[in-house]
């Protein structure tokens, strides 16, 4: 116990607590601070400088001043900084994992998984940085030439959520560095420690002063507001909830900013009667319980063909019963706390309303007594199709199961949502996978797979889940702008 506390204190001492502006960590202009707490215990972990509007503008100033010189650096130079960043994050994997568990609550094994996933964006974009192709062609009538090049979009504002403290930052910072953009990062106030430590790591990897600035703050709109009104800013990339994303899209209209929006989800997990049910339960556990259900990709509605619903639900509930809630640092913990008391109350309100509407509790169904914001892993059966829990993003360890008879019904139920981020299909019939994928309105489809996030794949949603893609070759496009140079016929006399 004393050893764990000493290790945690030693790690916290490595995390910068200031604002990163022009390569230096400094206090907020008004001396303001805010606290970051451990959701498993409620204990305060650190006190950070809280950026003001003035600090945000100083950060943009720094980003703007180096934008032109940074854009001219050799792609190989940017690639190698990213590669060193990947290596340093990997060397410090245990630090990053423990820090995420401390501020966000997920079990250490999951935090370690996020370090691998998050670091991979640095490696992937170090490889993409030197492959930012343009094209050269002759106009169709055969005279003039078309030259298409890509340039960095310019200074970016990157706003990240609390649920994946490392990966949400690297998924934006990686491609921005690769493309030659400078940036101001505003992490979520609930889990900023990982971003602070990550930014310090990137400086050690050789990132020049001013390219990455970090303005953690207790007031999110106090940062985004003035920055988005400033014409030096050229892009906002946001990951978070749909209501905040909509507000930022309105704000972005003022200066017609480029936007990337990774917003909320309401993922259907569709199990057909021809599926391997044991594999489907395994996938359901991963798709539901990763991050305690606090993921935009979390399976939110289990649509199960009626003929196999009872068997699936029983197996699923048994797997959920075998989980153990606890502080993420404890070796046998498989489910950590929710991020705060409000989040836990919201989850419980959805469960209570579903039960009142006729759902039955197969397992769980209540908060866990004691310190921290724990909720029992829960499976609800026979959930009526119009229940609120099927329409809302649950963001907790609760799995509502509902049934369908035909493939057409499954597709209609899946599409009955304003969201369109992740979806999952379990079936042994690959033709069915193609048919259903074509008809469901989702940016991501997991086929017999419960976790599909990967740095090499384009991640993003349709409908109110957002626009733009992160990861893959598409991830770099988001940070570049196209320039076309029309060249007069070189043979003309
Ligand atoms: P949130 O929208 O409350 O906050 C996200 C970020 O926006 C934070 O940094 C927050 O400080 C900032 N913010 C909040 N209000 C703001 C405002 N008025 N102006 C400017 N910035 C503001 O979301 P959250 O609770 O941190 O994260 C959970 C949400 O994020 C869920 O809806 C989840 O689905 C979504 N999410 C989406 C993806 C994706 O890739 N699509 C990934 C992870 C999380």
């Amino acid at each position: 116990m004393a050893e764990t506390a000493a290790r945690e204190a030693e790690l916290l001492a490595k995390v910068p607590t200031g604002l990163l502006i022009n390569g230096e960590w400094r206090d907020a202009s008004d001396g303001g601070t805010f606290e970051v707490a451990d959701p498993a215990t409620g204990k305060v972990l650190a006190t950070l400088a809280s950026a003001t509007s003035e600090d945000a503008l100083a950060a943009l100033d720094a980003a703007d001043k180096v934008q032109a010189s940074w854009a001219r650096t050799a792609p190989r130079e940017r690639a190698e900084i990213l590669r060193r960043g990947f290596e340093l994050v990997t060397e410090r994997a245990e630090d990053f994992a423990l820090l995420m568990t401390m501020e966000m609550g997920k079990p250490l094994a999951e935090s370690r998984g996020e370090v691998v996933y998050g670091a991979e964006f640095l490696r992937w974009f170090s490889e993409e940085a030197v492959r930012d192709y343009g094209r050269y062609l002759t106009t169709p009538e055969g005279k003039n030439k078309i030259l298409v090049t890509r340039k960095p979009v310019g200074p970016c504002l990157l706003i990240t959520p609390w649920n994946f403290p490392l990966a949400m930052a690297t998924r934006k910072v990686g491609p921005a560095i690769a493309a030659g953009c400078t940036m101001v990062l505003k992490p979520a106030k609930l889990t900023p420690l990982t971003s602070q430590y990550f930014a310090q790591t990137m400086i050690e990897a050789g990132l020049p002063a001013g390219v990455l600035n970090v303005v953690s703050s207790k007031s999110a709109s106090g940062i985004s507001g003035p920055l988005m009104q400033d014409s030096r800013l050229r892009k906002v990339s946001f990951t978070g909830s749909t209501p905040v994303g909509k507000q930022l899209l309105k704000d972005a209209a003022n200066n017609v900013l480029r936007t990337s929006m990774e917003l909320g989800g309401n993922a259907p997990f569709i199990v057909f009667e021809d599926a391997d049910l044991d594999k489907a339960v395994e996938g359901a556990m991963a798709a539901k319980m990763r991050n305690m259900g606090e993921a935009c990709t979390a399976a939110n509605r289990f649509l199960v063909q009626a003929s196999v619903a009872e068997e699936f639900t029983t197996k699923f509930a048994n797997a959920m019963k075998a989980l153990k809630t606890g502080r993420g640092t404890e070796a046998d913990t498989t489910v950590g706390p929710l991020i705060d008391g409000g989040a836990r109350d919201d989850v419980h309100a959805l469960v209570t309303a579903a039960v009142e509407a006729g759902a039955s509790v197969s397992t769980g169904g209540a908060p866990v007594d004691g310190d921290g914001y724990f909720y029992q892993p829960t499976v609800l059966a026979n959930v009526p199709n119009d229940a609120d829990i099927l329409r809302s993003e649950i963001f907790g360890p609760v799995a509502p199961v509902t049934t369908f008879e035909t493939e057409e019904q499954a597709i209609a139920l899946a599409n009955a949502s304003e969201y369109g981020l992740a979806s999952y299909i379990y079936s042994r019939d690959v033709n069915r996978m193609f048919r259903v994928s074509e008809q469901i309105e989702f940016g991501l489809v997991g086929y017999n797979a419960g976790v599909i996030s990967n740095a090499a794949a384009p991640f993003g949603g349709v409908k109110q889940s957002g626009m733009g893609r992160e990861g893959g070759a598409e991830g770099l496009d988001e940070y570049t702008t196209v320039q076309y140079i029309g060249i007069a016929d070189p043979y003309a006399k």
Side-chain angles (χ1 to χ4, degrees):
M1 203 66 176
E3 205 179 300
T4 315
R7 161 88 179 103
E8 290 176 14
E10 185 197 344
L11 172 56
L12 287 172
K14 293 190 210 172
V15 178
T17 54
L19 311 173
L20 178 61
I21 299 176
N22 202 21
E24 286 182 0
W25 293 99
R26 53 159 109 154
D27 289 339
S29 53
D30 65 355
T33 58
F34 69 104
E35 290 177 338
V36 182
D38 179 341
T41 59
K43 207 180 112 211
V44 172
L45 296 169
T47 302
L48 297 194
S50 176
T52 61
S53 303
E54 199 181 309
D55 296 320
L57 290 170
L60 179 58
D61 228 20
D64 182 55
K65 284 212 170 77
V66 297
Q67 176 58 66
S69 59
W70 176 240
R72 281 195 303 273
T73 52
R76 178 70 74 206
E77 191 180 328
R78 301 198 295 270
E80 285 178 356
I81 292 169
L82 283 168
R83 177 72 201 197
R84 279 197 297 277
F86 163 75
E87 281 160 8
L88 276 180
V89 170
T90 305
E91 260 170 42
R92 298 174 184 178
E94 282 304 300
D95 278 0
F96 276 106
L98 180 57
L99 200 53
M100 279 194 278
T101 291
M102 287 163 71
E103 66 175 338
M104 189 274 166
K106 69 183 87 184
L108 258 181
E110 285 197 44
S111 294
R112 290 186 179 117
E114 183 175 340
V115 178
V116 173
Y117 171 55
E120 198 53 40
F121 285 99
L122 304 175
R123 176 156 63 176
W124 172 259
F125 284 108
S126 84
E127 293 158 347
E128 287 295 283
V130 291
R131 294 187 175 77
D132 191 12
Y133 303 117
R135 65 185 192 273
Y136 178 69
L137 67 154
T138 304
T139 55
E141 76 284 1
K143 284 190 186 158
N144 298 342
K145 302 292 178 188
I146 292 171
L147 179 62
V148 181
T149 63
R150 300 209 295 182
K151 305 200 288 189
V153 82
C156 303
L157 169 61
L158 313 177
I159 304 179
T160 53
W162 50 264
N163 59 346
F164 291 100
L166 181 64
M168 295 302 101
T170 58
R171 212 160 78 158
K172 298 186 191 301
V173 171
I177 290 177
C181 295
T182 60
M183 63 211 102
V184 178
L185 169 66
K186 200 221 68 73
K189 69 172 187 277
L190 291 168
T191 62
L193 302 180
T194 305
S195 289
Q196 301 271 121
Y197 190 47
F198 167 58
Q200 175 61 31
T201 302
M202 290 310 297
I203 292 172
E204 290 169 40
L207 197 62
V211 173
L212 169 63
N213 303 278
V214 183
V215 285
S216 294
S217 178
K218 59 188 167 202
S219 166
S221 56
I223 302 300
S224 64
L227 290 183
M228 290 173 73
Q229 280 165 32
D230 190 309
S231 60
R232 293 172 299 174
L233 189 79
R234 293 312 316 143
K235 177 183 171 86
V236 58
S237 175
F238 171 75
T239 299
S241 60
T242 295
V244 174
K246 287 182 185 176
Q247 183 55 49
L248 291 174
L249 281 170
K250 287 184 194 154
D251 297 347
N254 265 338
N255 284 328
V256 193
L257 295 181
R258 277 281 292 275
T259 54
S260 300
M261 292 281 148
E262 299 284 350
L263 309 179
N266 181 357
F269 188 102
I270 312 173
V271 183
F272 289 98
E273 61 192 0
D274 60 7
D276 176 330
L277 281 194
D278 292 320
K279 289 231 166 74
V281 169
E282 207 182 293
M285 291 298 290
K288 179 71 255 181
M289 296 306 292
R290 179 176 179 232
N291 236 35
M292 293 77 78
E294 293 171 318
C296 52
T297 50
N300 206 65
R301 301 173 282 156
F302 290 82
L303 314 179
V304 186
Q305 201 149 19
S307 53
V308 294
E310 202 179 319
E311 188 184 347
F312 173 83
T313 310
T314 306
K315 288 184 167 177
F316 191 15
N318 287 340
M320 289 285 245
K321 276 180 205 153
L323 297 176
K324 178 160 183 317
T325 53
R327 189 170 187 235
T329 48
E330 285 153 20
D332 57 349
T333 293
T334 46
V335 188
L338 296 183
I339 191 69
D340 57 23
R344 185 173 66 173
D345 293 347
D346 290 349
V347 168
H348 192 50
L350 284 171
V351 170
T352 310
V355 171
E356 274 165 16
S360 50
V361 179
S362 298
T363 183
V368 177
D369 290 336
D371 287 345
Y373 313 110
F374 295 91
Y375 200 84
Q376 295 172 346
T378 299
V379 175
L380 301 176
N382 309 312
V383 179
N385 275 327
D386 58 352
D388 247 8
I389 199 164
L390 300 178
R391 286 196 294 264
S392 319
E393 199 175 20
I394 303 171
F395 245 57
V398 175
V401 180
T402 180
T403 59
F404 64 87
E405 298 289 340
T406 65
E407 190 176 297
E408 291 66 33
Q409 272 175 8
I411 292 166
L413 284 171
N415 286 340
S417 169
E418 71 267 30
Y419 294 108
L421 188 60
S423 60
Y424 304 88
I425 300 170
Y426 272 75
S427 165
R428 284 193 178 91
D429 179 352
V430 77
N431 284 329
R432 192 200 287 276
M433 180 277 286
F434 281 115
R435 269 197 316 272
V436 176
S437 299
E438 222 170 274
Q439 295 174 77
I440 57 176
E441 299 159 335
F442 290 86
L444 313 170
V445 181
Y447 175 51
N448 293 333
V451 176
I452 58 166
S453 302
N454 193 293
F459 185 103
V462 298
K463 293 160 85 177
Q464 294 194 29
S465 287
M467 56 184 75
R469 292 294 180 270
E470 293 192 315
E474 293 82 354
L476 191 58
D477 293 347
E478 300 282 319
Y479 292 88
T480 63
T481 183
V482 170
Q483 185 173 55
Y484 152 53
I485 304 176
I487 303 168
D489 180 1
Y491 295 98
K493 301 237 167 62

